[in-house]
Amino acid sequence: MKQRITEKAFQSTVIKALRVAGYTYYHTYNSIRSVKGFPDLIALHEKKRRVLAIEVKTETGKLTPEQEEWLRLFSLCGIESEVLRPSGFDEFWERIR
């Protein structure tokens, strides 16, 4: 049986990968008074001039309408936006390294 990973643990893995790949990232640790749905991570790579908006989810985690809207707006503005799940991590790693 495959062990499930929590969103918090998976996000930690994603952050480590971003650091190794040379990205600077931002994550709102306490979103109580923040606008609903803002992506979990915004990552920037200075040399590649690349910006990523990442919503981290478990395999079964569902997006809220607010999360969908933020990702849509980032994408509309030309920023790479995605929902990242554990099953997509290997492909994500290949794209960012």
Side-chain angles (χ1 to χ4, degrees):
M1 186 170 135
K2 207 173 195 180
Q3 186 177 7
R4 293 183 187 178
I5 186 170
T6 65
E7 187 173 306
K8 184 176 180 178
F10 180 51
Q11 183 169 284
S12 178
T13 298
V14 173
I15 288 170
K16 288 175 189 171
L18 289 167
R19 286 182 182 152
V20 168
Y23 284 79
T24 300
Y25 75 93
Y26 172 80
H27 168 66
T28 302
Y29 287 95
N30 185 349
S31 61
I32 290 173
R33 292 187 175 152
S34 296
V35 177
K36 288 183 179 181
F38 194 80
D40 291 317
L41 298 165
I42 302 297
L44 302 98
H45 197 289
E46 182 178 6
K47 290 181 182 174
K48 294 179 182 180
R49 295 179 186 247
R50 190 174 187 188
V51 180
L52 309 172
I54 305 165
E55 183 61 41
V56 178
K57 291 289 183 194
T58 62
E59 289 302 326
T60 58
K62 300 197 183 332
L63 287 174
T64 65
E66 294 89 356
Q67 289 169 329
E68 289 176 353
E69 180 64 2
W70 272 109
L71 292 176
R72 185 190 73 77
L73 289 171
F74 273 110
S75 183
L76 183 67
C77 293
I79 294 178
E80 294 178 63
S81 306
E82 68 181 290
V83 178
L84 183 57
R85 299 178 189 278
S87 61
F89 180 79
D90 290 343
E91 190 269 331
F92 171 76
W93 172 243
E94 289 300 317
R95 284 189 290 116
I96 68 166
R97 62 184 202 140

